[in-house]
Amino acid sequence: MSNKQLDEFQKFNMNLLELQQQQALKRYILRSDERERMARELKSKNPLEVDTPERVALRKSIINPRDGLAIERIIGREDLFPISYLEAGLKAATSVCRIEIRDRIGRVLGYGTGFLVSPSLLLTNNHVLENYDTAQSSVAQFNYEIDLDLNERPMKSFRLTPERFFITDQKLDFTLVAIEEVSDDGTKVSNFGFLPLISQTGKALVGEYVSIIQHPSGAHKAVAIRENQILDVFDNYIHYTTDTMPGSSGSPVFNDEWIVISLHHAGVPDPKNPAEFIANEGIRISSILQFVTEQCSNLNDAQKLLINFIEQGCEVPEYTNEEMVVEDLSASWYEGSTGYDARFLGDEHELPLPTFMSDLEDDIAQLQDGSNVLNYTNFSIVMSKSRRLAYYTVVNIDGNQLIDIERNDNWYFDSRIKIEYQCGPELYKNNPLDRGHLVRRRDPNWGESAEKANKDTFHFTNCAPQHSNLNQKSWLDLENYILHNAKNSNLKVTVFTGPVFKVDDITYRGIQIPAEFWKIAVIVKEDGSLSATAYLQTQKNLTEDLEFAYGEYKTYQVPISKIEVMTGLDFGAIRDHDPINQLESSIGRVIKKSGDIKFE
């Protein structure tokens, strides 16, 4: 961008802001007589008597009953707060950031304020991030503050990711955009929490006082606290007297419960002196959420999943996830668990565990004893630290000894590795994600230890998030079919399974959700030789780089070498027994029925 283009950008941005200020002034003047009447009434009454009964009722409904002085504060007779009020304000401030508006070559064009409204989404003004390209070039800077010793805190910068989610509207002057989950220095954006949005109206009444957390003129974080009175409430806007400066655009405006009531966006200029302001204007959160709701039909399911945290932001299905029971197992439970047997198919068919590409080795979660393989009953798992999911699982299945065991829905963390390397119940609550077993529950349930094997499969290490719409039958009961075809070696099968980790997997509640899963099944054929077949279950078209969207899953039989490229795993000599390893097509074979599987 040349200097001339930079000047044009700044002029356009200034013209847009001036337009919004003039529109705010029109709204202010239009209601002047009504506002003066309400001001006179407030002198003799209080906000609970001046505002509408419906809004008063809603306002009372969100007051914490433990705050006995809340009503006294609203009617203006009391300014006492519990000391926790300050703590709550500090917590709310954590989610507020400075937005550094940049062009494509990284030059700084200006500053604004924004705040997290979910673990993945940030809210600010349209005139701060007016389009996709500006959002893609700009950064959100958290912790840009001065500490108690008047020193700068370490600032943390995160890129915005509009390719994942981007909604904007010039009239309501807001932009809702996705943010990267982990910064370049490894900091998680989830460390900064988020400010939940409430769609119901009546979160603050005319005459109440509000606070605003902001980055005035792009400076360190500041707060204008409580000496700021709501002057008027419009259909989509709120007017209030709050100290703000350029750079405060996109700041959250709070009521006394630190609930966000509006998005600050413009000052109301004094018609007698345009350099001065007689009020400020914010966009009501209820109006923004209504707009987002109306856009839901244009969003794919992955994007709807991203806004699942925003209350009533989208009409999503009612999920009937039962309350998950999480229990602990003692260290003695794992004693004697030998896990996967590499010679299960015969001494002449030893199948060692896959090895990793060198750049993945540091990401393998280590056990307390320094090893990296979690051994359970008849199966083993190797975990990824960064993804908190299994790199792969491998199970020995003995079809002649399978035992039906009653399902147990208690789940367990594995105490042998750090809990931060495991996805727990918080990922699966109140959403359409199923806890998908990687090693199927019934597969290791054979022999004298079948009961223990069944329980072992309910470890979070053996769990992967799968959308409830995933058609489990699209795997065509592969193990069952392959087991049926394992005519030699006493119906024995070895099955490797895992997710495909991609950098563009969507992030939800701090976890990247795999869009694809793979499986490799190894059997002994009638002639005594091995057959190793690989499968990929995906909802993506393998020939195109399509944006992830939950939809119809397809199953492909693919060369093992393709799984190796996609996962960074090396299966060694196993690939030599793949009947389609020389297949030139990168897509593989679409599997619609069991007869489509090629064993020879």
Side-chain angles (χ1 to χ4, degrees), residues 475-483 519 535 555 591 597:
W475 278 101
L476 296 172
D477 291 326
L478 283 173
E479 292 98 331
N480 285 344
Y481 182 76
I482 294 167
L483 192 63
K519 188 181 297 290
Y535 309 89
T555 300
I591 304 299
I597 299 174

Side-chain angles (χ1 to χ4, degrees), residues 315-321 430-431:
E315 194 171 318
V316 292
E318 291 187 8
Y319 307 120
T320 57
N321 294 21
N430 297 324
N431 59 36

Side-chain angles (χ1 to χ4, degrees), residues 291-503:
F291 184 95
V292 172
T293 301
E294 293 169 351
Q295 299 301 307
C296 277
S297 61
N298 301 322
L299 303 178
N300 60 43
D301 285 348
Q303 292 168 328
K304 290 178 182 177
L305 201 58
L306 284 180
I307 61 173
N308 196 38
F309 265 98
I310 303 177
E311 187 192 38
Q312 297 180 12
C314 220
E315 194 171 318
V316 292
E318 291 187 8
Y319 307 120
T320 57
N321 294 21
E322 74 282 2
E323 191 66 27
M324 190 186 308
V325 178
V326 181
E327 296 185 350
D328 295 322
L329 293 171
S330 65
S332 62
W333 174 266
Y334 305 100
E335 294 176 0
S337 296
T338 56
Y340 165 68
D341 180 2
R343 297 186 177 181
F344 181 70
L345 298 182
D347 290 342
E348 69 277 21
H349 296 308
E350 183 175 0
L351 304 177
L353 295 175
T355 58
F356 287 78
M357 291 185 178
S358 58
D359 61 336
L360 297 179
E361 291 178 352
D362 290 340
D363 188 49
I364 300 173
Q366 286 194 331
L367 281 65
Q368 294 176 352
D369 62 7
S371 62
N372 57 24
V373 179
L374 292 165
N375 288 320
Y376 299 98
T377 307
N378 299 329
F379 68 97
S380 297
I381 296 175
V382 173
M383 296 289 292
S384 163
K385 292 189 293 187
S386 63
R387 297 296 292 260
R388 300 172 62 186
L389 299 169
Y391 268 119
Y392 70 82
T393 67
V394 57
V395 59
N396 301 131
I397 308 173
D398 190 334
N400 279 329
Q401 298 189 64
L402 286 174
I403 300 174
D404 286 332
I405 305 293
E406 186 176 348
R407 183 181 178 91
N408 162 41
D409 276 321
N410 296 351
W411 286 81
Y412 313 95
F413 286 105
D414 194 317
S415 60
R416 293 175 293 176
I417 62 172
K418 294 180 179 179
I419 196 169
E420 57 259 39
Y421 300 152
Q422 306 172 60
C423 294
E426 68 281 355
L427 176 61
Y428 301 95
K429 189 173 182 179
N430 297 324
N431 59 36
L433 292 178
D434 285 343
R435 303 180 295 278
H437 281 70
L438 293 174
V439 171
R440 285 198 317 172
R441 182 183 67 85
R442 65 185 299 268
D443 286 351
N445 300 348
W446 53 269
E448 296 180 355
S449 300
E451 292 271 3
K452 185 176 182 180
N454 178 73
K455 201 168 184 176
D456 274 346
T457 64
F458 284 87
H459 278 80
F460 285 113
T461 51
N462 186 43
C463 186
Q466 295 179 341
H467 196 276
S468 59
N469 289 341
L470 184 152
N471 182 0
Q472 297 290 349
K473 297 301 289 185
S474 66
W475 278 101
L476 296 172
D477 291 326
L478 283 173
E479 292 98 331
N480 285 344
Y481 182 76
I482 294 167
L483 192 63
H484 177 72
N485 281 272
K487 296 178 181 178
N488 263 2
S489 197
N490 296 316
L491 295 178
K492 290 183 176 181
V493 182
T494 289
V495 177
F496 298 84
T497 306
V500 177
F501 294 150
K502 292 190 174 184
V503 295

Side-chain angles (χ1 to χ4, degrees), residues 151-181:
N151 296 318
E152 286 191 346
R153 299 186 191 275
M155 185 176 69
K156 301 295 182 180
S157 294
F158 293 80
R159 288 185 294 272
L160 304 176
T161 54
E163 64 275 13
R164 294 168 55 213
F165 190 98
F166 185 81
I167 290 180
T168 192
D169 182 65
Q170 190 177 102
K171 181 180 178 182
L172 288 180
D173 194 19
F174 84 91
T175 291
L176 186 62
V177 61
I179 186 171
E180 66 177 350
E181 304 295 325

